[in-house]
Amino acid sequence: MCRMGSDPGLTELRRGVLGPCVLALLDERPRFGLELVRELAAAGGLLTSDGTVYPLLSRLRDAGLVTSEWHDPAGERARRYYFITDAGRGQLKSFRADWTDFAATVTKVLFLPPGTPAGTSAQPGEEPPDE
Amino acid sequence: MSDTVLARPVVKQYLRALDAACASLPAAQARELHELIAAHLDETLPPAATDAEVDAELARLGTPRALAADAAGPARPPALRRLRNRLGRVRWWTWTAIAVLVAAIGTGAGYLIAVNSAAPLVASGEIGWLYPADQAVAVMTTAGDVTQTAVPYRFGQRQGIVVSLVNESAWTQEIVGVGPRWDFGSLPGQSAVTVQSGPDLNVAGVPAPGTSTYYASPGAIPPNSARIVRLFWTSDLCMGGGDGGIGLDQITLLVRVGGITRTENIALQDAFLLISPKHSVTRNCQ
């Protein structure tokens, strides 16, 4: 588990990717809120605060990307479970494709060797050369 | 100790702050967020959690304001939608109370307007002087359309007039006194007004056979009816010889209409005139 810094730009980046990460977890199986919080917190660096997940769930449901329903099994605590919808799966698929290209581009530009025109060198994931 | 951490004052305060911060969100969304945060706290914190543990968990959740901002999304809802959301969470009994209040104010305002728009009393004709001492010496003169009746001013004595007033409105009008700017009788309490009253007066003020009338103060004039009114005073104004006299071409009365007392200036058809005697006593002169 790692914790990223509290740079405002990073906070915005986290906000941008948190929704797809929640959709990805729900695509695996339905989960309840605290479960999502714990898993995202365990992944590290995705949450600016634990409470961030709850407003996000509400917005995802308003957007039709997830649904929710109460589960109240005998002898256990009642919990609201969240389920991904077809629209949510479609958006997750689209984001995964965009993210691969986006991450590759960002990595390429971020780690561009000095003096090299953008787009002519550095492969995705390539380490910057030692000076 | 309570069996849930939700009963802790600091947690209650946090949830109240969350509700306040979510005031501009749709009610269902705010309710769900409250429910999720409460469930989170209830599940992550044991009932016996220390204050430090509670504080740490609240800090991990983030501030209520930040949660509300996250729930609102990147773009805040337009002012009109925020207002609609706020109004949407007003409870039905609040709307009922507002409706009752508006209806009461409207009814009250309508009532006041109706009362104030009631036609004032009008003089239908002068009967004459109240006291025989004046009536016996009254001199009637006419100049053009103006008729006036004149009597000597009797300083320090009671004098008065009798007029007929008509109530042309749909409201009962009760004469409760003379107006504040009465021309005669400079001292308070020296002037008075009484109204013809009786058990069986018709609209013209005529009593049914075998019944009597009397004069009362205050006295009421029913809607669309006429009554005889007596005004009298103690003549104590300073009028030295050669002052001429005092004319009375209107009377000012305090009239109660539907619970509202108003001042009515009533023009007289003919004028009453009090003439100064040549050698009057001037005891009340300043």
Side-chain angles (χ1 to χ4, degrees):
Chain A
M1 174 178 173
C2 70
R3 280 279 177 189
M4 288 195 257
S6 58
D7 176 77
L10 205 52
T11 300
E12 291 304 312
L13 188 58
R14 285 192 191 109
R15 282 210 174 99
V17 300
L18 191 57
C21 289
V22 167
L23 291 177
L25 290 173
L26 295 180
D27 192 35
E28 188 184 51
R29 64 177 170 81
R31 285 172 162 86
F32 60 93
L34 182 58
E35 194 177 9
L36 288 166
V37 171
R38 284 174 172 156
E39 292 192 34
L40 290 167
L46 284 172
L47 299 180
T48 50
S49 66
D50 289 359
T52 310
V53 175
Y54 298 113
L56 174 65
L57 286 170
S58 174
R59 283 193 284 131
L60 291 175
R61 199 197 49 200
D62 285 349
L65 303 180
V66 304
T67 59
S68 71
E69 61 182 55
W70 281 96
H71 279 210
D72 191 7
E76 291 183 32
R77 183 188 294 267
R79 293 185 176 108
R80 186 194 285 270
Y81 274 77
Y82 288 84
F83 301 79
I84 191 167
T85 63
D86 288 343
R89 284 195 185 86
Q91 180 145 330
L92 176 61
K93 183 180 176 184
S94 172
F95 184 84
R96 277 173 168 152
D98 291 341
W99 178 258
T100 305
D101 295 342
F102 178 74
T105 302
V106 171
T107 303
K108 187 168 67 178
V109 173
L110 283 178
F111 301 110
L112 191 67
T116 307
T120 59
S121 82
Q123 296 302 307
E126 186 179 344
E127 291 296 320
D130 294 331
E131 292 297 323
Chain B
M1 177 178 290
S2 171
D3 59 355
T4 172
V5 76
L6 298 179
R8 297 283 189 89
V10 65
V11 174
K12 284 183 174 176
Q13 186 181 359
Y14 182 91
L15 292 174
R16 276 199 299 272
L18 178 65
D19 291 340
C22 291
S24 64
L25 296 177
Q29 190 181 5
R31 202 162 43 243
E32 181 184 357
L33 185 57
H34 178 110
E35 168 201 297
L36 289 170
I37 296 296
H40 175 104
L41 292 167
D42 194 33
E43 192 159 351
T44 54
L45 290 168
T50 64
D51 290 346
E53 288 170 334
V54 174
D55 290 342
E57 190 57 41
L58 293 178
R60 275 194 292 275
L61 275 175
T63 65
R65 188 185 292 267
L67 292 176
D70 274 349
R76 285 176 61 76
L80 191 59
R81 205 169 89 204
R82 288 204 305 276
L83 178 63
R84 196 174 63 222
N85 290 338
R86 282 180 185 276
L87 292 178
R89 70 187 62 227
V90 175
R91 303 300 176 87
W92 67 267
W93 58 79
T94 306
W95 286 119
T96 304
I98 291 171
V100 169
L101 188 62
V102 168
I105 291 172
T107 303
Y111 180 79
L112 288 176
I113 291 169
V115 165
N116 279 319
S117 63
L121 299 172
V122 295
S124 62
E126 278 67 64
I127 306 296
W129 296 95
L130 175 61
Y131 293 98
D134 294 318
Q135 191 65 27
V137 296
V139 176
M140 184 80 77
T141 57
T142 300
D145 293 336
V146 179
T147 300
Q148 70 177 26
T149 173
V151 298
Y153 191 78
R154 294 186 288 112
F155 187 91
Q157 298 179 40
R158 301 290 280 178
Q159 291 188 283
I161 61 174
V162 181
V163 296
S164 175
L165 298 183
V166 177
N167 175 11
E168 296 179 336
S169 76
W171 296 80
T172 294
Q173 299 202 29
E174 184 179 40
I175 298 172
V176 297
V178 295
R181 291 187 299 167
W182 184 243
D183 284 338
F184 306 106
S186 58
L187 300 177
Q190 288 189 329
S191 303
V193 57
T194 58
V195 182
Q196 179 194 17
S197 305
D200 289 305
L201 297 178
N202 65 15
V203 294
V206 178
T211 64
S212 59
T213 63
Y214 57 93
Y215 286 83
S217 178
I221 303 180
N224 302 305
S225 299
R227 292 290 185 269
I228 295 170
V229 174
R230 291 174 170 176
L231 295 99
F232 45 93
W233 60 89
T234 299
S235 295
D236 70 342
L237 294 183
C238 172
M239 290 202 302
D243 281 352
I246 299 173
L248 181 62
D249 57 5
Q250 75 167 25
I251 55 177
T252 304
L253 300 177
L254 294 177
V255 181
R256 186 181 298 136
V257 187
I260 306 297
T261 300
R262 62 187 189 182
T263 300
E264 293 187 11
N265 294 312
I266 304 164
L268 299 176
Q269 290 187 346
D270 301 325
F272 291 88
L273 184 64
L274 290 162
I275 302 169
S276 171
K278 290 181 180 178
H279 304 290
S280 68
V281 179
T282 57
R283 280 182 299 177
N284 202 31
C285 294
Q286 297 296 314

